[in-house]
Amino acid sequence: MSTAVGRPSVALHFTWQRDWDGVQRILPAIEAALAPFDPRPHWGKVFAMNPAAVRASYPQMPAFVELVDRYDPNGTFRNAFINRYVFGEG
């Protein structure tokens, strides 16, 4: 589930002020500017991309979903984020 798998990649990291409202407002603009480059968000960073777009951007997503289903069939290690961005629930 690496952001760099299968293609040349670059990572952009930003340092934010402690202004969550401001960050939430600017994220869509940053992501729109990066959209032509088919971005893949980093799982440990803040992003605002549509969950379906995130799933579609990772070519190994179906294999990952299979692994999660196989090794965590009861969803013990799942949370709202995983349900939304990996499984498309909620």
Side-chain angles (χ1 to χ4, degrees), residues 43-64:
W43 295 107
K45 305 298 179 191
V46 176
F47 56 89
M49 287 177 68
N50 177 288
V54 173
R55 285 190 300 281
S57 72
Y58 283 89
Q60 297 295 326
M61 185 64 77
F64 181 69

Side-chain angles (χ1 to χ4, degrees), residues 8-78:
S9 296
V10 64
L12 304 173
H13 300 269
F14 298 88
T15 300
W16 302 104
Q17 298 292 324
R18 291 184 181 208
D19 178 6
W20 180 234
D21 291 333
V23 170
Q24 286 180 301
R25 283 192 305 273
I26 196 71
L27 277 174
I30 292 169
E31 291 174 356
L34 295 174
F37 304 102
D38 192 26
R40 292 180 187 156
H42 186 289
W43 295 107
K45 305 298 179 191
V46 176
F47 56 89
M49 287 177 68
N50 177 288
V54 173
R55 285 190 300 281
S57 72
Y58 283 89
Q60 297 295 326
M61 185 64 77
F64 181 69
V65 168
E66 260 184 56
L67 285 172
V68 173
D69 281 339
R70 184 179 329 144
Y71 292 105
D72 187 23
N74 298 321
T76 301
F77 296 101
R78 287 171 59 168

